[in-house]
Amino acid sequence: MLTPERKIRIAVFVSGGGTNLQALMDAQKSGIIKSGEIVHVVSDTADAYALERAQNNGIDTTVVDRKKYPDRESFEKKLIETLKSNNIELIILAGFMRILGSEIIREYENRMINVHPSLIPSFCGKGFYGLKVHEAALAYGVKVTGATVHYVNEIPDGGKIILQKAVAIKKDDTPESLQVRVMKRAEWLILPKATEMVCKELLKGEK
Ligand code: GAR
C-alpha cells in the first residue's frame, strides 16, 4: 500500500473577503502547492466572507472573535489552543488585520508568514493595512508598488522577506483599482509560491 505523502499542516488566518485564501486553495488544487495542505481557517470576525470560501472547499473553520475576549493574552491563548489541537505546522496570515503578540509569534518562529500589499519597507508597519496601504502609495506619488510575502517576527511587517513582486501605478488609479491590480498581479501569485517554498523547506529540514 502506498503511504500518503507527508505534507505540512497549514492554518490560514483571515479577517475579511479572503481572496488570498481563495488563491491558496486554488493553488493547492492546481498543484502549485504540493508540500503543504490547508487544514484549517481561523477568522477573528464571525462575518468574514473568507469563512464561506473555506467551507465551500470543505476546510474546517474556527472563529476566534476578538470582541469576546477581555484582553489580547486570552484571545491569543485561544488562537494557540486552536493551532495545537489541529497540529498546525505553518500559519499563513492572508488578509488578517491584527498585529499578533510575542507569545504566538515566538511559538511559531519561522512558521508564520504574511502577505502585505506593498513593497516592504515602503508603506508598511502599524496602521498600514488593506486599502490604507494603497491610499498612502497614491498620496506619496510612487510610480511602482507591489506586494511582499515575509516571515512574521515581532516587528510589524519587519520579518525576513521571502518574495516580492512589483506592480506599476497608473495615472488614473484609485485606491480601489490599485488594490485589485496588486492582488491580481502580485499577491495571488506570490503567496501560493512562497507557501510552497516554505513548506518544501520545512520538509527538507526533517530529513
Ligand atoms: C490583501 O490586500 C492583503 O494583502 C491585505 O489585506 C487584503 C485582504 O484581502 N493585508 C494587509 O494589509 C495586512 N497588513 P483578502 O481578504 O481578499 O485576501
Side-chain angles (χ1 to χ4, degrees):
M1 210 174 76
L2 280 172
T3 39
E5 229 180 308
R6 159 98 174 99
K7 289 178 194 273
I8 297 295
R9 291 177 65 81
I10 302 171
V12 182
F13 281 21
V14 296
S15 299
T19 63
N20 277 290
L21 167 67
Q22 189 67 54
L24 288 166
M25 295 185 302
D26 293 348
Q28 194 171 290
K29 277 195 196 125
S30 70
I32 293 169
I33 298 174
K34 48 183 182 291
S35 306
E37 186 182 2
I38 304 162
V39 294
H40 213 87
V41 168
V42 178
S43 174
D44 62 347
T45 50
D47 56 1
Y49 181 63
L51 290 166
E52 228 172 290
R53 292 184 191 268
Q55 284 147 16
N56 290 341
N57 280 266
I59 297 171
D60 290 342
T61 60
T62 301
V63 176
V64 186
D65 190 340
R66 175 65 182 89
K67 291 192 295 288
K68 300 218 166 108
Y69 295 83
D71 48 36
R72 187 158 93 177
E73 286 67 35
S74 52
F75 166 71
E76 289 186 4
K77 195 166 164 257
K78 179 66 190 171
L79 288 179
I80 293 175
E81 260 172 46
T82 307
L83 295 167
K84 297 277 173 200
S85 64
N86 287 284
N87 298 318
I88 298 304
E89 302 170 289
L90 175 69
I91 304 167
I92 303 176
L93 307 183
F96 188 66
M97 300 303 185
R98 204 166 282 285
I99 292 175
L100 292 167
S102 49
E103 198 192 336
I104 187 166
I105 289 176
R106 283 195 198 138
E107 183 78 34
Y108 289 88
E109 198 186 355
N110 294 322
R111 287 174 179 271
M112 194 189 298
I113 67 173
N114 177 49
V115 62
H116 183 77
S118 75
L119 293 175
I120 290 175
S122 290
F123 314 116
C124 63
K126 202 166 180 276
F128 287 99
Y129 57 87
L131 213 51
K132 286 180 193 288
V133 179
H134 305 291
E135 283 165 1
L138 290 177
Y140 198 97
V142 291
K143 304 297 175 207
V144 174
T145 184
T148 304
V149 180
H150 62 91
Y151 284 102
V152 176
N153 68 6
E154 284 164 271
I155 304 161
D157 298 324
K160 190 169 172 246
I161 290 172
I162 304 165
L163 284 177
Q164 288 188 304
K165 193 163 187 289
V167 174
I169 290 182
K170 292 185 180 167
K171 258 209 316 282
D172 56 354
D173 259 329
T174 61
E176 289 78 9
S177 68
L178 185 57
Q179 181 179 48
V180 172
R181 186 156 2 90
V182 168
M183 282 175 161
K184 281 190 184 160
R185 303 238 175 119
E187 296 184 52
W188 300 344
L189 306 175
I190 64 171
L191 185 59
K193 213 168 158 188
T195 300
E196 175 58 20
M197 283 165 64
V198 171
C199 288
K200 228 171 149 176
E201 201 57 38
L202 289 171
L203 289 179
K204 214 167 94 188
E206 291 178 355
K207 287 191 181 140

